[in-house]
Amino acid sequence: MTTFIRATCAAALALGVAGSASGQTSPEEAVRARVKQYETAYNAGDVERLASIYAEDATHTYAFGVTHYGRPAIAEGLREQLAGPLKGTRMNITPTRIRALSPSIAVEEATFSMSGLKDPGGTALPPIGGFCLVVYQQQGSDWFVKAAQCMVPLVPPQPK
């Protein structure tokens, strides 16, 4: 269960992030470009690039309830996860809706899937999927994640 929770955390992180999107013509295009940059950096295990997508004062709340405040704490959390339980995992992020709330603020709703998870004994686990809600703010010519909240829905108990 710990690996599952940590995987959910990383997935959530991954969904809510994006890199430099300067030169884009709309907030939606800028956010889509950032999401692609995040996905690429995550799949390469590039913690520094992942963290650079967050604003200096960003927050990220993971599916299991832990929140990191600020880019340094987010980077440290990513570093620990990608060197540990999420090492070698791959993430796919699909923005389902992006809305501009103003010329410099946008909200992204997205789904994600994460594969390559393993239990503590090294046995492969099935892919997991979840949802993220991410707020972006344009600062200068770049868009940064200001707040991300992700979740992995629990499977309800099945009647016997």
Side-chain angles (χ1 to χ4, degrees), residues 8 10 13 40 51 53 65 67 102 107 111 118 135 142 145 147:
T8 300
L13 278 171
T40 299
I53 294 168
T67 300
S102 76
V107 175
T111 62
K118 295 181 181 171
V135 177
D142 292 328
V145 172

Side-chain angles (χ1 to χ4, degrees), residues 56-138:
E56 287 292 333
D57 62 345
T59 60
H60 190 107
T61 302
Y62 304 92
F64 55 90
V66 170
T67 300
H68 286 131
Y69 298 93
R71 186 184 289 165
I74 292 168
E76 184 58 30
L78 287 166
R79 192 172 289 105
E80 289 173 7
Q81 295 300 315
L82 291 176
L86 298 177
K87 185 175 184 176
T89 58
R90 298 200 45 90
M91 184 172 308
N92 180 272
I93 304 166
T94 304
T96 57
R97 185 173 184 203
I98 299 170
R99 296 175 288 141
L101 302 180
S102 76
S104 63
I105 303 286
V107 175
E108 170 206 9
E109 298 171 48
T111 62
F112 68 88
S113 64
M114 181 178 285
S115 61
L117 296 165
K118 295 181 181 171
D119 71 14
T123 302
L125 297 171
I128 62 167
F131 307 95
C132 287
L133 180 67
V134 183
V135 177
Y136 290 85
Q137 180 179 35
Q138 185 177 23

Side-chain angles (χ1 to χ4, degrees), residues 132-157:
C132 287
L133 180 67
V134 183
V135 177
Y136 290 85
Q137 180 179 35
Q138 185 177 23
Q139 298 174 353
S141 62
D142 292 328
W143 286 77
F144 295 93
V145 172
K146 288 290 278 189
Q149 294 189 337
C150 298
M151 63 161 296
V152 171
L154 297 175
V155 176

